[in-house]
Amino acid sequence: MNYNIVKHIGTLSDGKITTELNVIEWNGRKAQYDLRRWSVDETGERTPLKGLCFLRLLHLYVGIVGFISRF
């Protein structure tokens, strides 16, 4: 799995496992927004864990807005 972080937008939590919002190119594909947990080992090597791409983030946002608008 090859990835290139084009732009780091923010870190939502920090420690041995971080949650970050980035713009990432995966396997040479077009860059997209990516919300993902990252594991950091003792050497500083980062390993991507489970995450959400732009379309999933958009669906999550629309669902939350729809839920909140009911109140």
Side-chain angles (χ1 to χ4, degrees):
M1 173 182 348
N2 297 323
Y3 65 89
N4 176 36
I5 298 176
V6 176
K7 182 176 183 180
H8 176 74
I9 297 171
T11 300
L12 302 174
S13 63
D14 204 2
K16 278 192 132 183
I17 295 181
T18 63
T19 304
E20 300 177 11
L21 180 61
N22 297 302
V23 177
I24 298 182
E25 295 172 342
W26 288 100
N27 297 320
R29 296 187 189 133
K30 183 179 175 184
Q32 60 182 346
Y33 286 96
D34 186 85
L35 180 63
R36 180 171 307 276
R37 296 180 73 193
W38 295 83
S39 174
V40 182
D41 68 13
E42 303 81 34
T43 65
E45 182 72 25
R46 296 163 38 101
T47 303
L49 302 174
K50 192 160 183 88
L52 297 170
C53 68
F54 174 73
L55 288 177
R56 290 185 180 157
L57 286 171
L58 181 61
H59 290 148
L60 180 62
Y61 172 77
V62 169
I64 291 171
V65 168
F67 177 77
I68 292 173
S69 67
R70 291 187 210 169
F71 297 100

